[in-house]
Amino acid sequence: MNVASTTLRYGDGEEQQLELAGCLRIGPPRGAALERSAVADTLRAALAKPLDFPPLTAATVPGDRVVVVLDQGVPMLAEVIDGLVAALADAGIERSQATYVAARSDSQAGAKLQELADAAGIDLRIHDPAGEEECSLVSVTKSGDPLRMNREIGEADLVLPVPMARAAEEEA
C-alpha cells in the first residue's frame, strides 16, 4: 500500500503530521526521471482510474463545483495543472466550474503561480486565512476559538487536494 506523509499547517503556527494511506503517487519509480511531457498524461490517466475511489467521471455530475487545492512546492506545477484541467474536462467539468486555491506565498512564487494560472485559463484564488469573506466557520474549539476554513473548499461538491508529500519510510 502506498503511504505518504504531509504536514497540515493551520492557525498561528500550529501543525499536524498526517500519514495518508492509499495515496496516488504520480511519477516514476524512485531514482528514475520522469519526462515533463508525461506528467499531465499520467495525472489524467490516474484520475480516470484511481485506486479505491470511483473515476472522476463517476464522482461528479454536471454542474458540480470542483475545488483543487494546490500545496506549495508542487513540482512541475504547469504540467500538473494541465493534467488536472484535462481530467476535469474528461469528467464534464468546465473551467468555469473549477476553482484552484493556493496558500499565500512570497511575491515571487505568487507571481509565478498567477502566471501559470493565466496561461492555463484557470480561476486561481490565493487563500487569506485572515479574510472574513474568504473563510467560513466550521466549528468552535474546546477553548471557544472559531475554527474556520476556506469558503471555496467548504462549498465545493468535490475537493481535489494536490499535496506536496514525501513517501514515508516503509516498515520492515
Side-chain angles (χ1 to χ4, degrees):
M1 174 187 300
N2 289 335
V3 177
S5 64
T6 189
T7 303
L8 175 65
R9 291 180 179 82
Y10 59 95
D12 294 324
E14 298 174 78
E15 61 182 45
Q16 177 68 45
Q17 187 71 26
L18 301 175
E19 296 291 325
L20 307 169
C23 287
L24 178 64
R25 182 176 185 274
I26 303 297
R30 295 195 200 305
L34 179 64
E35 294 291 324
R36 293 187 80 82
S37 60
V39 173
D41 293 337
T42 302
L43 180 55
R44 186 178 186 182
L47 288 172
K49 294 181 182 180
L51 299 174
D52 301 323
F53 195 78
L56 196 54
T57 55
T60 59
V61 296
D64 273 356
R65 292 280 314 144
V66 176
V67 172
V68 177
V69 181
L70 301 170
D71 198 357
Q72 292 180 0
V74 173
M76 298 187 216
L77 188 55
E79 291 82 358
V80 168
I81 289 172
D82 288 346
L84 289 164
V85 168
L88 291 171
D90 293 344
I93 304 296
E94 299 176 24
R95 287 177 202 240
S96 63
Q97 295 170 277
T99 302
Y100 294 72
V101 176
R104 262 193 285 175
S105 57
D106 63 59
S107 60
Q108 184 177 3
K112 178 67 175 166
L113 184 57
Q114 189 60 58
E115 182 181 308
L116 290 174
D118 291 344
I122 62 171
D123 178 18
L124 173 68
R125 309 282 173 90
I126 304 299
H127 175 65
D128 177 6
E132 288 290 321
E133 295 298 314
E134 290 184 39
C135 295
S136 58
L137 182 67
V138 175
S139 185
V140 178
T141 66
K142 288 181 182 178
S143 62
D145 295 322
L147 178 61
R148 300 181 187 277
M149 70 182 288
N150 181 280
R151 185 176 304 278
E152 295 285 344
I153 296 169
E155 294 177 356
D157 296 303
L158 178 68
V159 177
L160 289 175
V162 181
M164 179 64 178
R166 57 180 164 67
E169 294 294 325
E170 297 204 19
E171 296 180 18

